[in-house]
Amino acid sequence: MKACLPSFLYPLRHVLLSTGIACFISACGINPQDVDLDLNTSLPEVKTTVFSEAIHNLGRLNAIYGRDPLYIMAKPAFDRTGTSLPTQGEIPQDISEMVKSSLNAIGGGIWYVPYDPEFMLNTAQTGYSEWGDKLLPNVVLVGGLTEFDRGLVTKEEGADVSGSAEELGVPMGLDFEDTRKSSLARITLDFNLLDFKTFTGIPFMQAVNSIQVHKGLGVDQLGFTVYGQTLGLRGNIKKIQGRHAATRLLVQLSILQIIGKYQKLPYWRLIPNAEPDPVVLDALRDEFYRMEQPDRIAKIQELLYLYGKDVEITGMLDARTRNAISQFKKEKNLAAPDVSEAVYLALFESVPLGRETLARRQRVDRLLAAYNQRLRELAFQAQAAPTAAAEPQTLPSKATPRIGQKKPRPAEPEKKKSLGDVRVWLSKSAYQIGEPLEIFFEVTEPMFVRIITINSVGKMATLFPNPYQNDNFARPGKVYRIPPANAPVKLTVGAPVGTDTIYAIASVNPIPADSLPLDDQGHVVAEGRGKRFAFAEEAFQVLPNGASQAAVKTGDQP
């Protein structure tokens, strides 16, 4: 027989239950008005990646292998896929600063040259700097993000369990749900190298790399039902591999590759689990087979010294060199002739990369300098020997030539290059501060030209050559314009108010920036005029903003 409570006791049961819950909460010290939250704090930290050390060691690699300095300019690099904005910044729109930071972290003779034409022109115009002090790049790095595939793989797994005990007379139910979602995306970066002089791509100097990024979501739910009331617990976690951090890894890896290729360095030794680059190895093979046998031996002796074998650089297979090669082949288990491609490439990939090798690099440079000096002396002796042997056979100076023998024709004097004229002009005689300025010049003979400006307070700046016109050899029959018509920046007139003067200086020989024929006041040195240099000048007025301008000149425009 089932016992039942009288109906008048049901409201009393709810009151007692509510009172009990309130007393329990009070006993536990829970007061909604005393809510508090602990906030985690963290200090700034240096940003490092798995390639940060490799980037730094690339500069050491460049110094150890004795490569020439490399001046590299990077053009702005962006997201070329157009998905950075629609996806609310899942990938960065502009990666230029990542590229700059990576290039500037290399060192070891790798120099980053900023690409900021407007800033350079403005500083030159204001007299803060001169073009002659600037270093022009050898190569230009171009590229950007070219692929972002968001949904390569999408996977979802789940489990759902529910049950009830009402059939047993217990008013309770249970629900449990577990869900797991995962997705995979891919980002691709393309870099290419251009030759700065020709603006053409350099064959094989490219890097195309991709990285896969993961995203996961996990949800757990647990619900209890008692007397029609539900108590639930829910937990979820979402993990996303950082797209921006992944892009930085792509940038660093690609810079390691493309600079390593251009400088012919074993950069793969800096990257975990990387394979040798066939582009670099092919370039080294070509270099080896273009060398004569003595040069091949000297190159192997150089690598042996860097490897740790104290050999002399003689260009000959002396006993010490043979012994060192034999030891090396035994260490590397090589079966090849002493002077061979296999030995050369094995030595190239085996040079230690520590600081001690940097010190050996300095010593081997001195050995190479002595070796090259000996080669020059031998070449001079070989050139002088036939002349000395032929001297006794020459006729005395007063001897009468034999009949039928032609008198030697006197040597013709060397024909000097003609010093022509240079002409420079502007489109107006007065400009307001901030107004664009265009300069025109021409020459009557092929000559090197420098265009400088001196303002009213004596500040001098070089306007030509400049980053957009780095070849200052001018030819007749052409009118030159500064800046060129297709330049993305303008040359503007700067303060102070007064009279500025444009000077055109031309010569048949190159004109170094530190050898201009001007005195401290900016006046042409008298002995330079008409002998070694041709001159032209044009003055213009610098007016404050809003002042009336002079009329446009006529007849002087190209």
Side-chain angles (χ1 to χ4, degrees):
M1 184 174 183
K2 192 173 182 180
C4 297
L5 290 175
S7 58
F8 68 90
L9 291 180
Y10 279 98
L12 180 62
R13 183 187 65 174
H14 287 290
V15 171
L16 292 175
L17 180 62
S18 301
T19 304
I21 294 175
C23 293
F24 173 75
I25 293 176
S26 300
C28 293
I30 300 175
N31 186 350
Q33 295 179 345
D34 296 334
V35 64
D36 195 8
L37 178 67
D38 291 332
L39 182 64
N40 294 328
T41 59
S42 59
L43 296 175
E45 59 183 18
V46 177
K47 177 68 177 180
T48 58
T49 70
V50 294
F51 294 132
S52 295
E53 185 177 359
I55 285 285
H56 175 72
N57 288 337
L58 183 65
R60 182 187 299 175
L61 206 66
N62 195 65
I64 286 174
Y65 281 86
R67 299 298 189 247
D68 293 334
L70 175 64
Y71 299 94
I72 180 169
M73 175 182 285
K75 291 198 67 178
F78 300 100
D79 163 35
R80 306 294 182 182
T81 68
T83 58
S84 56
L85 294 179
T87 59
Q88 298 180 346
E90 280 197 34
I91 59 174
Q93 184 181 13
D94 187 349
I95 62 172
S96 303
E97 296 303 323
M98 293 184 186
V99 175
K100 295 175 186 177
S101 298
S102 299
L103 288 174
N104 211 34
I106 298 173
I110 308 296
W111 299 88
Y112 163 61
V113 181
Y115 177 79
D116 196 341
E118 185 174 359
F119 172 74
M120 295 177 70
L121 287 174
N122 287 341
T123 54
Q125 178 63 23
T126 53
Y128 293 149
S129 63
E130 297 183 5
W131 295 121
D133 300 329
K134 303 297 182 293
L135 295 174
L136 295 179
N138 308 111
V139 294
V140 181
L141 181 68
V142 298
L145 296 174
T146 54
E147 295 178 16
F148 180 42
D149 301 318
R150 300 182 65 194
L152 289 178
V153 178
T154 301
K155 184 186 296 185
E156 180 176 348
E157 298 177 349
D160 194 354
V161 178
S162 63
S164 174
E166 292 182 357
E167 295 180 356
L168 302 176
V170 180
M172 184 177 72
L174 173 67
D175 289 295
F176 175 75
E177 180 182 351
D178 177 73
T179 304
R180 294 291 182 267
K181 296 180 180 180
S182 64
S183 64
L184 179 66
R186 181 172 59 204
I187 306 171
T188 302
L189 173 67
D190 286 47
F191 274 158
N192 286 278
L193 275 188
L194 306 181
D195 184 274
F196 181 76
K197 289 185 178 180
T198 62
F199 283 169
T200 55
I202 305 173
F204 310 115
M205 294 300 112
Q206 62 179 26
V208 181
N209 292 294
S210 297
I211 188 171
Q212 294 182 345
V213 289
H214 301 262
K215 179 169 65 175
L217 175 65
V219 179
D220 286 336
Q221 296 187 93
L222 179 64
F224 297 94
T225 303
V226 182
Y227 291 107
Q229 304 297 319
T230 301
L231 172 66
L233 300 175
R234 178 184 175 90
N236 61 66
I237 183 170
K238 183 178 182 181
K239 291 186 178 181
I240 301 177
Q241 184 181 354
R243 266 68 167 165
H244 292 240
T247 302
R248 184 180 294 275
L249 291 177
L250 278 178
V251 169
Q252 292 178 327
L253 175 62
S254 300
I255 285 177
L256 282 168
Q257 288 180 328
I258 204 162
I259 293 181
K261 288 181 182 181
Y262 185 82
Q263 294 293 85
K264 292 185 288 189
L265 298 170
Y267 67 88
W268 54 88
R269 298 177 61 188
L270 307 175
I271 304 172
N273 304 319
E275 296 291 331
D277 192 325
V279 173
V280 176
L281 296 182
D282 287 344
L284 290 171
R285 291 187 184 99
D286 293 342
E287 180 183 84
F288 180 78
Y289 288 113
R290 283 197 305 266
M291 291 187 286
E292 299 292 336
Q293 186 73 354
D295 294 330
R296 293 178 186 176
I297 296 173
K299 193 66 179 177
I300 287 176
Q301 288 172 330
E302 175 189 346
L303 294 174
L304 281 170
Y305 194 92
L306 292 174
Y307 182 72
K309 307 294 185 181
D310 292 328
V311 298
E312 295 289 334
I313 298 181
T314 62
M316 298 181 291
L317 275 176
D318 50 46
R320 182 181 296 182
T321 301
R322 289 183 183 275
N323 184 48
I325 294 176
S326 178
Q327 292 177 5
F328 175 77
K329 290 195 298 184
K330 186 176 181 180
E331 293 170 5
K332 299 299 179 180
N333 196 23
L334 280 176
D338 288 352
V339 183
S340 62
E341 171 194 320
V343 171
Y344 176 62
L345 293 181
L347 276 169
F348 174 80
E349 293 193 68
S350 301
V351 172
L353 305 182
R355 296 189 179 276
E356 181 182 350
T357 313
L358 278 176
R360 295 187 73 86
R361 175 79 254 175
Q362 297 176 0
R363 294 194 292 271
V364 82
D365 284 342
R366 292 193 290 268
L367 294 175
L368 285 170
Y371 169 71
N372 291 325
Q373 179 62 28
R374 287 195 299 270
L375 290 181
R376 285 191 292 268
E377 292 173 355
L378 291 173
F380 178 77
Q381 293 172 5
Q383 185 178 8
T387 304
E391 283 180 357
Q393 301 176 7
T394 58
L395 291 173
S397 58
K398 295 183 179 180
T400 303
R402 292 176 293 178
I403 297 175
Q405 181 180 6
K406 294 182 179 180
K407 294 182 179 180
R409 179 178 296 178
E412 296 182 3
E414 184 180 355
K415 189 175 181 180
K416 295 184 177 180
K417 297 179 181 179
S418 173
L419 181 63
D421 296 323
V422 61
R423 177 169 170 260
V424 64
W425 68 92
L426 305 172
S427 57
K428 298 192 295 186
S429 60
Y431 294 84
Q432 293 183 12
I433 294 175
E435 186 178 357
L437 175 69
E438 295 176 347
I439 304 171
F440 306 92
F441 74 90
E442 61 183 359
V443 294
T444 60
E445 297 289 341
M447 291 187 291
F448 295 90
V449 178
R450 275 192 176 271
I451 305 293
I452 64 172
T453 177
I454 300 178
N455 66 9
S456 57
V457 295
K459 288 281 188 180
M460 184 176 71
T462 299
L463 303 181
F464 181 86
N466 56 61
Y468 297 98
Q469 298 161 298
N470 59 324
D471 184 4
N472 67 329
F473 185 71
R475 295 169 176 80
K478 177 182 178 180
V479 174
Y480 293 84
R481 170 178 169 175
I482 308 170
N486 58 350
V489 295
K490 295 180 180 180
L491 183 64
T492 56
V493 176
V497 173
T499 301
D500 289 12
T501 305
I502 304 291
Y503 288 97
I505 306 171
S507 175
V508 294
N509 298 313
I511 311 171
D514 56 354
S515 300
L516 294 175
L518 300 174
D519 58 20
D520 295 338
Q521 285 75 38
H523 301 134
V524 175
V525 179
E527 54 267 22
R529 185 184 292 273
K531 294 181 180 180
R532 296 175 50 223
F533 301 98
F535 292 89
E537 62 182 80
E538 181 79 357
F540 64 95
Q541 295 294 318
V542 178
L543 307 175
N545 290 329
S548 60
Q549 300 183 35
V552 175
K553 288 186 176 181
T554 59
D556 281 347
Q557 294 187 9

